[in-house]
Amino acid sequence: MKTINFINKVLLSFVMVGLSAQAQTKDTGIETKQMVENSLELFKQLSNDIALDEEFNYRKELKASRAEQTMFYFRDIKVSKTQLLRYFKRAARSSDNSIQFKTYFLERQLYFINKLDRKTLSGVYDAMRSKTLNGYLDILAVFAATDQIMPTMVRS
């Protein structure tokens, strides 16, 4: 009889542990889903801020992000704000337009970039590109082309 009571207690404790673990798993799933949704909103807000800020300063934002240590939780990856800014900068440096900018992320399986609309994506690309060497060279090329056009227009 004592043996049966002991076995019942052991089985009951296993069942309780299993139910407790299952409840924690469900809570974790809900918390994870909310973290992903919150991170997505923060990501969109950050991207909009970068795209709309005429005086965006990459270095200043990078330094601030190191102090904040903000994390973005996406469905398949966890990225810090610092890493995200660096991804933006590398993508802008290695691409010539916003389509290549987006392709940079997709090639590296960073699919969170798909959550941005075209206007925001283009604005982020332009903000980041303008602070790169190639961006400065693009600006110089435009001025050089303008200087070549202007003298011919004056002579006419």
Side-chain angles (χ1 to χ4, degrees):
M1 192 68 166
K2 289 182 181 181
T3 307
I4 293 175
N5 284 338
F6 177 73
I7 291 173
N8 284 338
K9 288 179 182 178
V10 169
L11 287 176
L12 183 61
S13 65
F14 282 134
V15 169
M16 295 301 284
V17 168
L19 290 174
S20 174
Q22 185 178 9
Q24 288 177 352
T25 302
K26 287 182 181 177
D27 290 343
T28 304
I30 293 169
E31 289 174 7
T32 303
K33 185 177 179 182
Q34 283 192 339
M35 282 181 14
V36 169
E37 289 173 1
N38 292 342
S39 291
L40 186 58
E41 289 303 315
L42 287 173
F43 170 66
K44 287 180 180 179
Q45 184 62 44
L46 173 66
S47 300
N48 281 332
D49 291 346
I50 292 170
L52 298 175
D53 188 0
E54 296 282 330
E55 299 297 321
F56 177 73
N57 188 337
Y58 170 74
R59 291 179 186 268
K60 182 178 175 183
E61 192 69 29
L62 188 66
K63 188 173 183 178
S65 72
R66 288 186 187 130
E68 292 172 11
Q69 297 181 352
T70 303
M71 296 299 292
F72 294 96
Y73 299 92
F74 299 106
R75 193 179 57 187
D76 52 352
I77 191 170
K78 181 174 90 169
V79 180
S80 70
K81 185 176 178 181
T82 305
Q83 288 173 315
L84 186 63
L85 290 170
R86 286 181 178 162
Y87 281 135
F88 282 157
K89 188 68 162 191
R90 285 184 197 135
R93 193 180 312 127
S94 67
S95 55
D96 293 326
N97 56 40
S98 60
I99 295 169
Q100 290 178 354
F101 181 75
K102 184 175 182 177
T103 304
Y104 175 91
F105 287 92
L106 298 177
E107 287 173 350
R108 285 155 183 78
Q109 299 177 349
L110 302 170
Y111 298 113
F112 55 83
I113 200 70
N114 287 328
K115 302 299 181 183
L116 297 179
D117 59 24
R118 282 187 190 183
K119 186 177 179 181
T120 304
L121 188 67
S122 179
V124 171
Y125 167 74
D126 290 339
M128 291 293 179
R129 177 70 175 194
S130 67
K131 303 299 183 198
T132 64
L133 177 62
N134 290 334
Y136 291 129
L137 293 176
D138 291 343
I139 293 169
L140 286 175
V142 168
F143 283 125
T146 305
D147 289 343
Q148 291 174 0
I149 293 171
M150 294 302 273
T152 58
M153 292 175 69
V154 172
R155 289 182 194 152
S156 299

